[in-house]
Amino acid sequence: MSQHDLTIDNASRTTVRGDIQNALQALGSLMKGSSAPSTPYSGMLWLDDDTPSATLWTLKQYDGTDWIVWGYVDTVANIFVSASALAIGGAKGLISGWTSTNNGSDPLHDIDIAAGAGIDTTGAALIQGVALTKRYDASWAAGNGNGGRRGSAANGDWWIHAVLNVSAQTVDYILDQSRTAPSLPSGYTLFRPIGWFQVASGEVGPFHSYELPGGGLEIARDLRATDVSETIGTARSLVSLPSVPTGISVVATLAVELTGHNVALDINCPDHNEITPAFASGLGLAGINIGISLSSGSQFVNGVTAVVKYQQRARTDTSRQLAMQASAAGVGVKASVDSFEWSRR
């Protein structure tokens, strides 16, 4: 700690010299310390070396009433991040790292979370977390290899959150069924959703996640399941994708199987207006007429039902639904989610 009240008291020349030297050192270190200077002056700079952590400091300036945050000094990455730059760029959206996957030793219950950093949901603090393994099959306890679950075990969607204890300056991870209002452990007041997984029959589904430019996440399923098995007609139909989260809009990559004869199928976001399916003939159709050459000449067989398999990307609404519409009645459609992209904003 290097702070001073910046008042030089009357004393012996040796004491005054030492007092002046201490004052200059305090100014030279920007009043560095874990608590605010006891005698602040309007315009004074203070380098808080324990907020939000011992390796991530906060530079503040006194306006006569309050301490204003200028930015953050990252002593590990050796960078300074301006608070105004964060606000302009969207402080709440700043995130990097924090990919996750099933643990190799216990893939059905444990999740490995990579190191990462991001601004909490309120925009108040930068959370920096190291790589940890958290257990879905045990209630939360701080630290690597310990429980991560908040609340009772249940099938369905689960969110991974980075959580910050501001007073103790500790970071950990929790597994909670709520994305926006997780149950925080005692002492932890700030959080940021960083990942997602599903539980079925009490087991964590196999998945991998990959960071996208800008901090987004692509979550890929290691096992396919049939998410859609519907008969689609000329009227617009909304279908649900059980393998993606609800509550957010995601871009899903689908493996699609389409049966029919000379039909077009449109898949899009339910938020869009209803549109007529593209392609009335030619490219993009299933069941194109098949030509058969016989010894007696060339004959053509019409109306053959073909099966077309292809990949499609489409955005869901926040109810994890897609809109499907065909150019003819009775079109059989099956689809499986290969992966989906989530902005983590």
Side-chain angles (χ1 to χ4, degrees), residues 120-122 163-167 184-191:
D120 79 285
T121 54
T122 70
V163 293
L164 172 65
N165 184 319
V166 177
S167 60
L184 300 179
S186 177
Y188 290 82
T189 56
L190 300 177
F191 69 93

PDB file of all heavy atoms in Angstrom, residues 120-122 163-167 184-191:
ATOM      1  N   ASP A 120     -19.992  -9.153 -16.100  1.00  0.00           N
ATOM      2  CA  ASP A 120     -21.194  -9.739 -15.520  1.00  0.00           C
ATOM      3  C   ASP A 120     -22.443  -9.148 -16.166  1.00  0.00           C
ATOM      4  O   ASP A 120     -22.365  -8.182 -16.939  1.00  0.00           O
ATOM      5  CB  ASP A 120     -21.217  -9.521 -14.004  1.00  0.00           C
ATOM      6  CG  ASP A 120     -21.664  -8.122 -13.638  1.00  0.00           C
ATOM      7  OD1 ASP A 120     -20.869  -7.177 -13.803  1.00  0.00           O
ATOM      8  OD2 ASP A 120     -22.818  -7.965 -13.212  1.00  0.00           O
ATOM      9  N   THR A 121     -23.605  -9.710 -15.870  1.00  0.00           N
ATOM     10  CA  THR A 121     -24.841  -9.311 -16.545  1.00  0.00           C
ATOM     11  C   THR A 121     -25.266  -7.888 -16.237  1.00  0.00           C
ATOM     12  O   THR A 121     -26.058  -7.305 -16.983  1.00  0.00           O
ATOM     13  CB  THR A 121     -25.989 -10.260 -16.157  1.00  0.00           C
ATOM     14  OG1 THR A 121     -26.105 -10.308 -14.732  1.00  0.00           O
ATOM     15  CG2 THR A 121     -25.732 -11.664 -16.682  1.00  0.00           C
ATOM     16  N   THR A 122     -24.776  -7.306 -15.153  1.00  0.00           N
ATOM     17  CA  THR A 122     -25.129  -5.925 -14.818  1.00  0.00           C
ATOM     18  C   THR A 122     -24.157  -4.917 -15.414  1.00  0.00           C
ATOM     19  O   THR A 122     -24.406  -3.708 -15.374  1.00  0.00           O
ATOM     20  CB  THR A 122     -25.174  -5.724 -13.297  1.00  0.00           C
ATOM     21  OG1 THR A 122     -23.840  -5.800 -12.761  1.00  0.00           O
ATOM     22  CG2 THR A 122     -26.052  -6.765 -12.631  1.00  0.00           C
ATOM     23  N   VAL A 163     -19.606 -17.135 -11.634  1.00  0.00           N
ATOM     24  CA  VAL A 163     -20.113 -16.328 -10.523  1.00  0.00           C
ATOM     25  C   VAL A 163     -18.949 -15.681  -9.775  1.00  0.00           C
ATOM     26  O   VAL A 163     -17.860 -16.252  -9.671  1.00  0.00           O
ATOM     27  CB  VAL A 163     -20.975 -17.171  -9.549  1.00  0.00           C
ATOM     28  CG1 VAL A 163     -22.250 -17.619 -10.231  1.00  0.00           C
ATOM     29  CG2 VAL A 163     -20.206 -18.388  -9.030  1.00  0.00           C
ATOM     30  N   LEU A 164     -19.203 -14.465  -9.268  1.00  0.00           N
ATOM     31  CA  LEU A 164     -18.160 -13.694  -8.588  1.00  0.00           C
ATOM     32  C   LEU A 164     -18.610 -13.315  -7.182  1.00  0.00           C
ATOM     33  O   LEU A 164     -19.704 -12.778  -6.994  1.00  0.00           O
ATOM     34  CB  LEU A 164     -17.856 -12.416  -9.376  1.00  0.00           C
ATOM     35  CG  LEU A 164     -16.924 -11.396  -8.709  1.00  0.00           C
ATOM     36  CD1 LEU A 164     -15.517 -11.968  -8.541  1.00  0.00           C
ATOM     37  CD2 LEU A 164     -16.882 -10.099  -9.516  1.00  0.00           C
ATOM     38  N   ASN A 165     -17.762 -13.632  -6.205  1.00  0.00           N
ATOM     39  CA  ASN A 165     -17.928 -13.147  -4.840  1.00  0.00           C
ATOM     40  C   ASN A 165     -17.113 -11.866  -4.733  1.00  0.00           C
ATOM     41  O   ASN A 165     -15.879 -11.908  -4.688  1.00  0.00           O
ATOM     42  CB  ASN A 165     -17.438 -14.192  -3.835  1.00  0.00           C
ATOM     43  CG  ASN A 165     -17.675 -13.784  -2.396  1.00  0.00           C
ATOM     44  OD1 ASN A 165     -17.494 -12.634  -2.029  1.00  0.00           O
ATOM     45  ND2 ASN A 165     -18.050 -14.742  -1.566  1.00  0.00           N
ATOM     46  N   VAL A 166     -17.780 -10.731  -4.739  1.00  0.00           N
ATOM     47  CA  VAL A 166     -17.091  -9.446  -4.812  1.00  0.00           C
ATOM     48  C   VAL A 166     -16.244  -9.200  -3.573  1.00  0.00           C
ATOM     49  O   VAL A 166     -15.094  -8.760  -3.665  1.00  0.00           O
ATOM     50  CB  VAL A 166     -18.108  -8.308  -5.003  1.00  0.00           C
ATOM     51  CG1 VAL A 166     -17.402  -6.955  -5.001  1.00  0.00           C
ATOM     52  CG2 VAL A 166     -18.868  -8.493  -6.302  1.00  0.00           C
ATOM     53  N   SER A 167     -16.779  -9.474  -2.396  1.00  0.00           N
ATOM     54  CA  SER A 167     -16.034  -9.184  -1.165  1.00  0.00           C
ATOM     55  C   SER A 167     -14.814 -10.084  -1.000  1.00  0.00           C
ATOM     56  O   SER A 167     -13.749  -9.636  -0.600  1.00  0.00           O
ATOM     57  CB  SER A 167     -16.956  -9.323   0.053  1.00  0.00           C
ATOM     58  OG  SER A 167     -17.484 -10.628   0.138  1.00  0.00           O
ATOM     59  N   LEU A 184     -27.796 -18.138  -6.637  1.00  0.00           N
ATOM     60  CA  LEU A 184     -26.373 -17.904  -6.383  1.00  0.00           C
ATOM     61  C   LEU A 184     -25.971 -18.410  -5.003  1.00  0.00           C
ATOM     62  O   LEU A 184     -26.726 -18.274  -4.031  1.00  0.00           O
ATOM     63  CB  LEU A 184     -26.053 -16.417  -6.489  1.00  0.00           C
ATOM     64  CG  LEU A 184     -26.337 -15.753  -7.834  1.00  0.00           C
ATOM     65  CD1 LEU A 184     -25.984 -14.270  -7.770  1.00  0.00           C
ATOM     66  CD2 LEU A 184     -25.569 -16.440  -8.957  1.00  0.00           C
ATOM     67  N   PRO A 185     -24.772 -18.985  -4.892  1.00  0.00           N
ATOM     68  CA  PRO A 185     -24.280 -19.415  -3.578  1.00  0.00           C
ATOM     69  C   PRO A 185     -24.095 -18.205  -2.656  1.00  0.00           C
ATOM     70  O   PRO A 185     -23.950 -17.069  -3.119  1.00  0.00           O
ATOM     71  CB  PRO A 185     -22.931 -20.083  -3.896  1.00  0.00           C
ATOM     72  CG  PRO A 185     -22.969 -20.375  -5.364  1.00  0.00           C
ATOM     73  CD  PRO A 185     -23.819 -19.314  -5.970  1.00  0.00           C
ATOM     74  N   SER A 186     -24.089 -18.461  -1.370  1.00  0.00           N
ATOM     75  CA  SER A 186     -23.915 -17.390  -0.386  1.00  0.00           C
ATOM     76  C   SER A 186     -22.614 -16.626  -0.651  1.00  0.00           C
ATOM     77  O   SER A 186     -21.548 -17.217  -0.846  1.00  0.00           O
ATOM     78  CB  SER A 186     -23.876 -17.982   1.023  1.00  0.00           C
ATOM     79  OG  SER A 186     -23.642 -16.975   1.979  1.00  0.00           O
ATOM     80  N   GLY A 187     -22.713 -15.309  -0.690  1.00  0.00           N
ATOM     81  CA  GLY A 187     -21.550 -14.452  -0.901  1.00  0.00           C
ATOM     82  C   GLY A 187     -21.323 -14.078  -2.353  1.00  0.00           C
ATOM     83  O   GLY A 187     -20.610 -13.115  -2.644  1.00  0.00           O
ATOM     84  N   TYR A 188     -21.900 -14.832  -3.260  1.00  0.00           N
ATOM     85  CA  TYR A 188     -21.734 -14.551  -4.693  1.00  0.00           C
ATOM     86  C   TYR A 188     -22.907 -13.687  -5.165  1.00  0.00           C
ATOM     87  O   TYR A 188     -24.071 -14.080  -5.042  1.00  0.00           O
ATOM     88  CB  TYR A 188     -21.672 -15.847  -5.493  1.00  0.00           C
ATOM     89  CG  TYR A 188     -20.400 -16.632  -5.266  1.00  0.00           C
ATOM     90  CD1 TYR A 188     -20.260 -17.461  -4.157  1.00  0.00           C
ATOM     91  CD2 TYR A 188     -19.329 -16.537  -6.156  1.00  0.00           C
ATOM     92  CE1 TYR A 188     -19.086 -18.175  -3.939  1.00  0.00           C
ATOM     93  CE2 TYR A 188     -18.155 -17.247  -5.946  1.00  0.00           C
ATOM     94  CZ  TYR A 188     -18.045 -18.063  -4.836  1.00  0.00           C
ATOM     95  OH  TYR A 188     -16.889 -18.760  -4.619  1.00  0.00           O
ATOM     96  N   THR A 189     -22.591 -12.531  -5.726  1.00  0.00           N
ATOM     97  CA  THR A 189     -23.644 -11.581  -6.085  1.00  0.00           C
ATOM     98  C   THR A 189     -23.712 -11.276  -7.577  1.00  0.00           C
ATOM     99  O   THR A 189     -24.728 -10.752  -8.039  1.00  0.00           O
ATOM    100  CB  THR A 189     -23.450 -10.266  -5.329  1.00  0.00           C
ATOM    101  OG1 THR A 189     -22.130  -9.753  -5.601  1.00  0.00           O
ATOM    102  CG2 THR A 189     -23.593 -10.483  -3.823  1.00  0.00           C
ATOM    103  N   LEU A 190     -22.651 -11.557  -8.320  1.00  0.00           N
ATOM    104  CA  LEU A 190     -22.624 -11.256  -9.755  1.00  0.00           C
ATOM    105  C   LEU A 190     -22.427 -12.543 -10.542  1.00  0.00           C
ATOM    106  O   LEU A 190     -21.746 -13.464 -10.094  1.00  0.00           O
ATOM    107  CB  LEU A 190     -21.503 -10.268 -10.076  1.00  0.00           C
ATOM    108  CG  LEU A 190     -21.598  -8.905  -9.369  1.00  0.00           C
ATOM    109  CD1 LEU A 190     -20.398  -8.043  -9.720  1.00  0.00           C
ATOM    110  CD2 LEU A 190     -22.898  -8.183  -9.705  1.00  0.00           C
ATOM    111  N   PHE A 191     -23.012 -12.595 -11.751  1.00  0.00           N
ATOM    112  CA  PHE A 191     -22.920 -13.815 -12.547  1.00  0.00           C
ATOM    113  C   PHE A 191     -22.940 -13.488 -14.036  1.00  0.00           C
ATOM    114  O   PHE A 191     -23.299 -12.383 -14.447  1.00  0.00           O
ATOM    115  CB  PHE A 191     -24.073 -14.773 -12.207  1.00  0.00           C
ATOM    116  CG  PHE A 191     -25.432 -14.286 -12.657  1.00  0.00           C
ATOM    117  CD1 PHE A 191     -25.962 -14.659 -13.888  1.00  0.00           C
ATOM    118  CD2 PHE A 191     -26.189 -13.451 -11.853  1.00  0.00           C
ATOM    119  CE1 PHE A 191     -27.208 -14.203 -14.306  1.00  0.00           C
ATOM    120  CE2 PHE A 191     -27.436 -12.995 -12.253  1.00  0.00           C
ATOM    121  CZ  PHE A 191     -27.943 -13.379 -13.481  1.00  0.00           C
TER     122      PHE A 191
END
